[in-house]
Amino acid sequence: MTLHVAFSLPQRGVNIDVELPLTGVTAVIGPNGAGKSTTFDVIAGLLPVRGATVRVGQRDFNSPAVPAHKRRIGYVMQDPRLFPHMSVEANVAFGLARGEKGRAVEELKRFHVEHLRDRMPNTLSGGQAARVALARALAPQPELLLLDEPFVALDAPARAELRAHLHTLSTPVLLITHDRADIEIADHVVVLEDGHVVQVGTRAEVAAQPRGLATELVG
């Protein structure tokens, strides 16, 4: 299965056209303002763009346009964005059908936070909130998981623990990161610069002839 994304936003200086294999973990790297988060927002359906192409396998999300909540794409950002008025378990179960609610506890167990199921988000540490956000994104069994630097505010042990979970997932992951340790566990790397894709390949291929930020982070 592959992901094909193509769109143009001249007002932002972004012109993206890339096709990727959807297997394992793909690191998406580039300097601030390169278009990484914009690309994720287009993939997720949060930023509609006229004439865009977003295709996951055989599913085309733009002909006609498919709203974000029907794309089966999980998305976790730097801010976990948990619903403050809901318990941890209710957050993870949000949007699941009544007969699927058990998956909320299964995902909390995956990230070793099932004991927090009755807690409210404002009582969680940063690492706990990040785990709950990942559990919520995975509970609906998405076809693709987008991670926009979700570990950046965490301490090193928490980052290492959550990073280790990524290769246990059956869901393909696209991960925006500036952390060399994240890139070291990636199967593929996409390099963006000035709103364009300047390199895409396996980590070994990118390391052999790095371009853009890859010259500093991949090796």
Side-chain angles (χ1 to χ4, degrees):
M1 187 166 70
T2 62
L3 166 69
H4 182 206
V5 185
F7 68 95
S8 181
L9 284 171
Q11 67 273 30
R12 298 193 186 187
V14 178
N15 189 0
I16 299 294
D17 191 344
V18 63
E19 187 162 359
L20 308 168
L22 280 184
T23 56
V25 178
T26 299
V28 181
I29 66 174
N32 292 335
K36 303 182 298 298
S37 294
T38 297
T39 300
F40 273 29
D41 287 348
V42 172
I43 294 170
L46 301 180
L47 179 60
V49 177
R50 185 183 299 275
T53 295
V54 179
R55 187 177 298 113
V56 176
Q58 298 303 310
R59 299 181 68 212
D60 187 334
F61 295 134
N62 290 83
S63 299
V66 177
H69 68 280
K70 292 186 176 181
R71 294 196 175 197
R72 296 194 64 197
I73 295 176
Y75 197 171
V76 181
M77 306 177 188
Q78 292 182 31
D79 179 353
R81 301 192 181 188
L82 301 178
F83 302 123
H85 61 291
M86 293 183 179
S87 69
V88 163
E89 184 175 354
N91 260 279
V92 179
F94 182 79
L96 297 180
R98 185 179 299 274
E100 301 174 331
K101 298 294 185 181
R103 286 214 300 272
V105 176
E106 292 175 12
E107 293 300 336
L108 289 170
K109 287 180 178 178
R110 182 207 297 267
F111 294 103
H112 310 298
V113 286
E114 69 274 16
H115 61 290
L116 303 174
R117 58 195 294 181
D118 296 324
R119 295 263 295 271
M120 301 301 288
N122 64 352
T123 69
L124 303 178
S125 69
Q128 290 169 338
R131 291 175 178 85
V132 174
L134 284 166
R136 183 176 64 178
L138 288 166
Q141 298 180 317
E143 294 182 357
L144 173 64
L145 179 62
L146 306 177
L147 302 179
D148 188 349
E149 297 194 87
F151 312 146
V152 69
L154 306 183
D155 60 27
R159 288 199 304 272
E161 179 187 340
L162 290 176
R163 188 181 298 121
H165 278 288
L166 297 185
H167 267 298
T168 71
L169 304 178
S170 57
T171 305
V173 175
L174 266 62
L175 170 66
I176 293 176
T177 184
H178 291 91
D179 190 328
R180 181 186 291 269
D182 291 339
I183 298 167
E184 288 175 353
I185 61 112
D187 302 285
H188 298 86
V189 178
V190 179
V191 186
L192 272 62
E193 193 169 77
D194 296 327
H196 296 76
V197 176
V198 298
Q199 194 170 19
V200 58
T202 66
R203 184 163 52 87
E205 288 169 344
V206 172
Q209 292 183 311
R211 297 181 61 187
L213 197 63
T215 59
E216 301 174 26
L217 294 178
V218 182

